[in-house]
Amino acid sequence: MTIDLKTVLSSNSRLASVETPLVALFVGATSGIGLGALKEFAQHAIDPRIYFVARNAKTARAIVDELHLLNPRGQYEIIEKNVSLIKDAEAVAEFVKAKESTLDLLFLSVGFVSLDGRQDTTEGLDASMTTRYYSRLRITQLLLPLLNRSTSPHVVSILAGGMEGSLQEDDLDLRQARNWSVARASVHSATMGTLALERLAAENPRVSFVHAYPGMVSTPLFDRLASGVAGFLLRWLVVPVIRLFSRSVAEAGQRSLFLATSARYSVDGGIVALGAGAGGNSSGSGGALQRGARSNGGRGIFLVGAGGEIADNEKVLTPLRKKDMEKVWEHTEAVFNSGR
Ligand SMILES: NC(=O)c1ccc[n+]([C@@H]2O[C@H](COP(=O)([O-])OP(=O)(O)OC[C@H]3O[C@@H](n4cnc5c(N)ncnc54)[C@H](OP(=O)(O)O)[C@@H]3O)[C@@H](O)[C@H]2O)c1
């Protein structure tokens, strides 16, 4: 069931009646879907305290100025870090922990896809995988104590929920050149993301976790797909066609805020309760919005497709949980404990 935009907007607007000031951290909101979600959140929340990560604080000042115009009562703080490094991801979490005792929303949309090949960071990991998996998970893990103190804590990861696939079990970080490909780095990031978040969900039953696929969204992601001649040709020939079929950043931001606040994707009453009698589907039948089903027979996370529908990938996930869940966790812990 695709959730119509009217329902999304009506739910988002009700954020203005939540009187407790909300605290949020956005990672990946200097551009694209994250930026859309950040603006939507700032616009609707009352007195929010918002932290967002930027690789360059100077250029991010313009975003703060815009947020002040959208909501002069909000407090906005830039955390200048590059989370393609796990050590920077850890520093981001420490920064927030030093300032806040609770966190209501952690919104993760950092990441990129590169046709230029594997890009090793100084920590020896592929940057496209660190931004999409390792750093996202590390920040989440370190901020769980704050999230657990919120009345209705939410973690939203924008990537490829419902599109999990099989893993190269003996090389989860795709260190071997023969194992790395753009597609495999994407599948590994998404699949390890779902499995690890499911584990955190089991250990933290009060926290609502969403892993969503945003659909095609017209963001700078496409302009950065490749460098050189290939990049030039892509930007001039292929990207304009992709953009014709893509959703706007504004709509992606609105839909993302819905995922982050609505009771539909919450283990509790949500930051915003389900609208009574809201028109809930694309057919315009006006059916009431339903709470979504979680993965793993209701024990896992909310896997969500482009239209806000609950994605069912249990055929793939059920054997993966048995076969690879522990391997993924052990591998991830080993990476986090590797003493950078
Ligand atoms: N757009 C789509 O159609 C689409 C579809 C499916 C999934 N996704 C996924 O959704 C997520 C958000 O996509 P988007 O379209 O919003 O992308 P975007 O506009 O390119 O924004 C990506 C964010 O990640 C940061 N980032 C990119 N490369 C980085 C690096 N090497 N190191 C540190 N930070 C980096 C960017 O920071 P800077 O501003 O500093 O560059 C920005 O904040 C991505 O993980 C993407 O793979 C997107």
Side-chain angles (χ1 to χ4, degrees), residues 288-333:
L289 203 57
Q290 306 276 317
R291 185 183 298 277
R294 286 190 279 159
S295 61
N296 199 12
R299 293 183 293 278
I301 63 177
F302 295 91
L303 292 172
V304 184
E309 73 281 9
I310 295 298
D312 178 4
N313 199 13
E314 285 302 315
K315 257 192 194 153
V316 171
L317 284 169
T318 303
L320 275 176
R321 276 184 208 111
K322 283 200 191 109
K323 204 160 62 79
D324 292 332
M325 184 93 139
E326 268 323 296
K327 275 182 204 144
V328 166
W329 194 254
E330 278 168 22
H331 159 76
T332 307
E333 295 258 272

Side-chain angles (χ1 to χ4, degrees), residues 118 129 171-176 179-180 184-185 188:
R118 185 185 163 104
M129 291 180 70
D171 188 16
L172 288 171
D173 56 357
L174 304 176
R175 211 166 272 255
Q176 305 291 325
N179 290 333
W180 193 95
R184 211 174 247 164
H188 269 227

Side-chain angles (χ1 to χ4, degrees), residues 25-321:
L25 168 64
F26 287 78
V27 188
T30 47
S31 164
I33 301 164
L35 180 57
L38 168 61
K39 287 188 196 167
E40 187 73 4
F41 180 71
Q43 189 175 336
H44 290 294
I46 296 182
D47 301 335
R49 288 200 299 285
I50 303 179
Y51 299 85
F52 69 97
V53 177
R55 288 193 273 184
N56 184 326
K58 248 190 204 163
T59 49
R61 286 301 317 166
I63 297 175
V64 172
D65 293 344
E66 211 179 326
L67 295 175
H68 276 298
L69 289 176
L70 286 170
N71 183 350
R73 290 172 53 169
Q75 291 174 37
Y76 311 106
E77 192 155 355
I78 301 165
I79 307 175
E80 189 177 37
K81 292 288 168 205
N82 181 346
V83 301
S84 61
L85 295 175
I86 298 173
K87 75 171 174 54
D88 273 31
E90 290 170 345
V92 167
E94 291 313 318
F95 186 97
V96 176
K97 276 167 110 172
K99 296 247 173 173
E100 300 289 344
S101 56
T102 73
L103 183 66
D104 301 296
L105 169 61
L106 173 58
F107 192 91
L108 304 159
S109 60
V110 66
F112 68 98
V113 177
S114 172
L115 304 182
D116 290 337
R118 185 185 163 104
Q119 295 170 23
D120 267 18
T121 68
T122 50
E123 294 173 343
L125 292 161
D126 168 42
S128 84
M129 291 180 70
T130 319
T131 48
R132 289 181 292 174
Y133 173 62
Y134 296 100
S135 286
R136 289 187 189 205
L137 193 79
R138 189 61 172 150
I139 291 174
T140 307
Q141 194 185 40
L142 293 175
L143 288 175
L144 279 167
L146 272 68
L147 286 159
N148 273 306
R149 274 185 226 123
S150 161
T151 338
S152 180
H154 288 251
V155 176
V156 176
S157 184
I158 301 291
L159 193 61
M163 293 178 161
E164 299 78 7
S166 62
L167 295 169
Q168 183 75 38
E169 292 171 17
D170 56 349
D171 188 16
L172 288 171
D173 56 357
L174 304 176
R175 211 166 272 255
Q176 305 291 325
R178 66 172 186 278
N179 290 333
W180 193 95
S181 70
V182 175
R184 211 174 247 164
S186 297
V187 170
H188 269 227
S189 300
T191 307
M192 293 201 291
T194 290
L195 293 178
L197 289 182
E198 280 199 351
R199 183 172 173 128
L200 295 185
E203 291 169 357
N204 299 271
R206 287 194 55 250
V207 182
S208 303
F209 292 92
V210 172
H211 178 189
Y213 169 66
M216 298 274 270
V217 185
S218 187
T219 72
L221 179 93
F222 297 116
D223 301 320
R224 316 187 211 196
L225 280 173
S227 57
V229 178
F232 178 83
L233 292 174
L234 273 171
R235 276 189 295 282
W236 285 96
L237 299 175
V238 181
V239 173
V241 180
I242 295 178
R243 292 204 190 284
L244 289 178
F245 300 98
S246 300
R247 181 175 276 168
S248 71
V249 163
E251 182 177 341
Q254 289 156 349
R255 288 186 174 277
S256 297
L257 183 66
F258 179 63
L259 299 179
T261 53
S262 170
R264 179 170 161 75
Y265 312 101
S266 301
V267 295
D268 52 22
I271 297 175
V272 173
L274 293 173
N281 58 38
S282 57
S283 63
S285 61
L289 203 57
Q290 306 276 317
R291 185 183 298 277
R294 286 190 279 159
S295 61
N296 199 12
R299 293 183 293 278
I301 63 177
F302 295 91
L303 292 172
V304 184
E309 73 281 9
I310 295 298
D312 178 4
N313 199 13
E314 285 302 315
K315 257 192 194 153
V316 171
L317 284 169
T318 303
L320 275 176
R321 276 184 208 111

